[in-house]
Amino acid sequence: MKHAKRLLSLMLGLSLTALGVGRWATAAPAASTYPGTGGPRPLELNLQPPATQIAHEIYDLHTWMMIICLVIFVAVFGVMFYSIFKHRKSVGHKPATFHESTTVEIAWTVVPFLIVIGMALPATRTVVGMKDTSNADLTIKATGMQWKWGYDYLKGEGEGISFLSNLATPRSQVGAPGMPPTEKRGENYLIEVDNELVVPVHKKVRMVLTANDVIHAWSVPAFGVKQDAIPGFVRDTWFKADHIGTFRGNCAELCGKEHAFMPIVVKVVSAEDYKVWVDGKLKEMAALADDPNKTWTIDELKVKGEKVYTANCAMCHQATGKGVPGTYAPLDGSAVVNGPKAEQIHVLLNGQKSGKYQVEMPSWKQLSDTDIAAVITYTRNNWSNKAEENIVQPAEVVAARK
Ligand SMILES: [Cu+2]
């Protein structure tokens, strides 16, 4: 009986201490002291410094739960080791023989109940807050695809902007099976992209998520955001960045071979900078919205095609066009690239899976007609290739899509 009471007061005392310590320890580090480039730091043990209200709450909850767990750990092991030591047989301790102690039973019901409430109450508030995507200033759709993200600004300032966001780390830093990297790995290795998602600071951004092929997940740890992007479904989440900066994340759902190669980079800028960016982007898009009926010269297509190739194809087929034996088909000397052009247009629009390679050629139908025509023309006239049908016009791609 006496022991039970002592145990109860010990546990209550520790829980109360935890409450006090919890309040003190839950102040997250100021984000301005964060020296990194917006991604994880080497040997980082804690969560990334939060950059939104929700991320702050998650950070605090995490700290709070850690403390509760620690207190329970110390209390349980403390009592256990104390009892073992104090009541050992060699000092002549006689075991108590009581039965059915009401006090103990109440204690081990009430105390865990209080602990659960102390965890569930604050957690529920945050989870409900995470799901509240109402009253957004900006709505952006993110589409996961093997293996990149597509962004469409659906509503709010910047409406109509749409672009693809590809990994920017060159393959020469990555290497491939049997091919060690030939270049030193950069600071943002595998967490850098060619087109960053740009959003204004202090504005509620609703992210609408879906996918084209398999399940991906859009995750930015500093925002406390992680949401699956599921083909055929639309899910949403939101964030409101509380300071300017660059924030990095990754696809967080295993989505195939290049899962680690589709990072997410969000650039949070001031309202003025955002306006400038939107203006520039809209102009750039107007300039890019090529008339698919325009007839291009072969040189124009080759110049454009090389850019498309570097951004989308070189990661597998390599800048040399030689591919990687057994994994990626060579385009230099390929029968498809040197054969009838209709066949190559078909491969680009629909992908190819001959079974001769470990992976398959994905479909590129999300590229523009001009991009597809350009990249085909480029591959037909580059390296040692000298295709007879050496030029493909955007109109031919338009026709093949039907
Ligand atoms: Cu993915």
Side-chain angles (χ1 to χ4, degrees):
M1 220 41 198
K2 229 168 91 204
H3 290 309
K5 266 193 198 136
R6 202 183 283 168
L7 188 105
L8 179 68
S9 62
L10 183 71
M11 283 173 88
L12 273 175
L14 282 168
S15 314
L16 289 173
T17 318
L19 268 162
V21 174
R23 288 290 148 255
W24 156 77
T26 51
S32 56
T33 63
Y34 184 54
T37 54
R41 276 178 297 185
L43 302 178
E44 189 165 51
L45 291 179
N46 209 339
L47 302 180
Q48 288 184 27
T52 62
Q53 174 67 35
I54 291 285
H56 269 280
E57 287 178 22
I58 293 174
Y59 190 103
D60 292 352
L61 278 168
H62 171 258
T63 311
W64 173 229
M65 310 265 167
M66 263 323 251
I67 290 167
I68 294 181
C69 293
L70 201 73
V71 168
I72 295 174
F73 177 86
V74 171
V76 169
F77 277 83
V79 169
M80 200 172 91
F81 284 120
Y82 169 83
S83 310
I84 292 172
F85 181 75
K86 192 74 185 170
H87 306 143
R88 64 193 189 278
K89 198 172 172 190
S90 61
V91 295
H93 191 81
K94 294 266 179 311
T97 52
F98 68 87
H99 235 257
E100 289 178 18
S101 161
T102 322
T103 320
V104 169
E105 290 197 6
I106 290 177
W108 70 41
T109 312
V110 171
V111 173
F113 182 73
L114 289 177
I115 295 172
V116 169
I117 295 284
M119 291 183 164
L121 271 186
T124 309
R125 236 198 41 212
T126 302
V127 170
V128 170
M130 281 171 158
K131 300 287 168 201
D132 177 15
T133 55
S134 60
N135 298 321
D137 298 301
L138 202 64
T139 303
I140 303 175
K141 181 173 88 170
T143 308
M145 329 174 194
Q146 286 174 319
W147 287 276
K148 58 181 153 306
W149 291 96
Y151 295 113
D152 297 277
Y153 288 61
L154 299 184
K155 227 171 108 192
E157 191 177 358
E159 189 174 325
I161 292 179
S162 126
F163 54 87
L164 292 175
S165 184
N166 276 292
L167 177 73
T169 307
R171 281 285 147 157
S172 48
Q173 286 185 17
V174 182
M179 291 181 29
T182 54
E183 202 187 308
K184 197 177 163 291
R185 293 179 171 175
E187 193 182 12
N188 294 317
Y189 178 68
L190 295 188
I191 44 174
E192 53 196 343
V193 297
D194 53 357
N195 295 307
E196 292 148 352
L197 182 70
V198 179
V199 296
V201 70
H202 300 312
K203 288 274 191 285
K204 183 165 181 177
V205 181
R206 173 174 175 237
M207 295 299 300
V208 178
L209 288 133
T210 188
N212 265 359
D213 32 46
V214 299
I215 304 179
H216 302 268
W218 201 82
S219 154
V220 180
F223 293 169
V225 162
K226 180 187 268 176
Q227 175 63 56
D228 274 11
I230 309 168
F233 288 83
V234 172
R235 290 283 131 88
D236 65 355
T237 182
W238 68 279
F239 62 86
K240 185 173 179 179
D242 57 21
H243 63 273
I244 289 170
T246 302
F247 303 94
R248 296 171 197 273
N250 277 294
C251 174
E253 182 66 57
L254 188 56
C255 57
K257 188 181 125 290
E258 313 247 308
H259 166 59
F261 292 63
M262 49 181 295
I264 296 151
V265 182
V266 185
K267 221 172 123 186
V268 177
V269 298
S270 67
E272 301 82 63
D273 288 352
Y274 182 67
K275 215 176 168 55
V276 172
W277 179 80
V278 166
D279 283 351
K281 200 78 190 168
L282 286 174
K283 283 206 192 87
E284 186 186 308
M285 283 184 54
L288 278 177
D290 301 309
D291 174 6
N293 295 315
K294 175 181 161 191
T295 304
W296 295 60
T297 69
I298 187 159
D299 289 325
E300 285 172 339
L301 285 172
K302 283 200 306 205
V303 169
K304 194 177 176 61
E306 180 166 12
K307 291 199 188 106
V308 178
Y309 186 85
T310 308
N312 300 289
C313 323
M315 65 182 78
C316 294
H317 294 293
Q318 309 298 315
T320 57
K322 299 229 183 306
V324 175
T327 311
Y328 306 119
L331 298 186
D332 188 9
S334 146
V336 173
V337 179
N338 290 285
K341 57 187 174 184
E343 173 59 21
Q344 196 180 349
I345 299 175
H346 181 82
V347 170
L348 265 286
L349 289 177
N350 303 294
Q352 176 173 304
K353 188 178 186 178
S354 67
K356 280 190 279 183
Y357 299 92
Q358 278 174 29
V359 290
E360 59 189 86
M361 161 76 172
S363 154
W364 292 92
K365 59 173 186 275
Q366 76 276 7
L367 292 180
S368 75
D369 302 313
T370 314
D371 282 354
I372 293 179
V375 77
I376 292 179
T377 305
Y378 170 73
T379 57
R380 290 188 159 244
N381 296 281
N382 203 28
W383 312 300
S384 68
N385 293 343
K386 283 190 187 59
E388 214 166 290
E389 298 178 358
N390 65 355
I391 179 162
V392 170
Q393 293 292 345
E396 295 172 72
V397 179
V398 176
R401 281 191 200 263
K402 287 174 187 149

